[in-house]
Structures are given as C-alpha cells and as structure tokens.
C-alpha cells in the first residue's frame, strides 16, 4: 500500500516537473524565434529543436557582436553559431575522461553558461532601453526570466 502511494506521488511530481520543463523550453524557443525573425536569420524554427537552438543562439550572437567593439576584439574570429553546439557536444563527452573529465566538463559548462549570458547581453543591448540592459542581463540568469524579458524587450517590434 505504501509503495503504491509513494509511486503515485513520485509519478505526479515527475509529470508536473516535466510539464514545467516543457513550458520553459517552449517559451525559450519562442523568445529566440522572435529574435531570429527580427534579425532576419535563416530557419528561425531551429530554436524549437534542442541541439539546433544553440546554433540559433550563436547565430543571433554573431549578428549582434559587432555592435560591441570591446567584445568583438576577442570574438570576431570565433563563429559562435558553430562554437556553442560544438562546445555542448564536447561537454557531454568530457565527463567520461578519467581524472580530469569532471574538471574539463565543469569548465566547459561554465563557458557555455557565460556564452548564454553574453547572448542575452547582446540581445538586451540591441532591443532593451538604455537603463535596462544590465539588470535584464543579470536577471536572465534565472531560467524562466530570460525569455520573458526578451519578449518584453521586443514587444513593440515586428519582423
């Protein structure tokens, strides 16, 4: 009897968290889809495909990085559209390397996180108002808040 109740509670919890994760994923996809349409990028529907969404985020960053000379000095030769998905694939496999795999995976994960924050910074510096760029970028670290702020920043724009 107790096992059946705990299994039911676990199943309901798993279903609830899965639905929340799906909603966050779809909201994130829609926000980057809207930015892709505003930037006139090819294949904006790639933002709804998990691996290709990193490609689209890199493509968005590539189209916006030239507005920031300080960052562009370091990023001009790096095609972020290919670097982000490649780093994600490498990050998945480095955990299997004995001894140093965990550390390499941690470093690559932090680099991917920093790249995500940089993409949000590029987007907000282009589409948000002047005083909102830094607060929006910092708030975008929270998983659900970033896409909502993107949609808020581009609410009056049409592609």
């Amino acid at each position: 009897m107790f096992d059946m109740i705990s299994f039911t509670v676990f199943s309901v919890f798993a279903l609830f968290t899965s639905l929340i994760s799906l909603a966050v994923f779809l909201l994130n996809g829609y926000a980057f889809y809207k930015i892709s349409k505003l930037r006139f990028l090819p294949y904006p529907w790639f933002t709804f495909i998990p691996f290709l969404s990193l490609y689209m985020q890199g493509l968005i960053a590539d189209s916006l990085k030239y507005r920031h000379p300080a960052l562009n000095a370091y990023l001009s030769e790096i095609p972020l559209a290919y670097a982000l998905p490649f780093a994600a694939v490498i990050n998945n496999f480095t955990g299997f390397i004995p001894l140093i795999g965990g550390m390499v995976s941690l470093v690559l994960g932090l680099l991917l996180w920093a790249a995500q924050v940089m993409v949000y910074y590029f987007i907000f510096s282009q589409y948000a108002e002047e005083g909102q760029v830094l607060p929006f970028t910092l708030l975008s670290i929270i998983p659900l808040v970033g896409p909502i702020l993107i949609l808020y920043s581009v609410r009056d724009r049409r592609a």
Side-chain angles (χ1 to χ4, degrees), residues 93-145:
F93 291 113
T94 55
F96 300 116
I97 300 172
L99 297 176
I100 63 167
M103 185 60 73
V104 172
S105 181
L106 176 69
V107 168
L108 275 175
L110 288 173
L111 285 174
L112 283 168
W113 176 78
Q116 180 74 32
V117 172
M118 183 183 62
V119 169
Y120 279 117
Y121 173 72
F122 287 162
I123 290 171
F124 293 135
S125 64
Q126 174 72 27
Y127 295 108
E129 294 177 15
E130 191 67 33
Q132 296 175 335
V133 174
L134 189 59
F136 280 10
T137 303
L138 294 176
L139 285 172
S140 69
I141 294 170
I142 303 169
L144 183 61
V145 176

Side-chain angles (χ1 to χ4, degrees), residues 12-26:
V12 168
F13 179 73
L15 179 66
F16 181 69
T17 56
S18 297
L19 289 175
I20 289 176
S21 297
L22 179 64
V24 169
F25 176 75
L26 290 175

Side-chain angles (χ1 to χ4, degrees), residues 5-86:
I5 292 172
S6 62
F7 177 75
T8 304
V9 169
F10 174 76
S11 298
V12 168
F13 179 73
L15 179 66
F16 181 69
T17 56
S18 297
L19 289 175
I20 289 176
S21 297
L22 179 64
V24 169
F25 176 75
L26 290 175
L27 181 66
N28 192 40
Y30 179 69
F32 282 103
Y33 174 83
K34 184 116 169 136
I35 292 292
S36 298
K37 294 287 279 185
L38 285 173
R39 303 293 306 160
F40 298 105
L41 298 176
Y43 311 114
W45 53 272
F46 277 4
T47 59
F48 293 103
I49 301 172
F51 183 71
L52 295 177
S53 66
L54 283 174
Y55 169 76
M56 288 306 295
Q57 289 175 21
L59 205 58
I60 291 167
D62 281 338
S63 72
L64 291 170
K65 68 183 176 184
Y66 299 105
R67 294 178 37 86
H68 305 278
L71 290 173
N72 190 31
Y74 300 106
L75 298 174
S76 63
E77 299 299 322
I78 300 173
L80 295 174
Y82 300 112
L84 292 182
F86 181 73

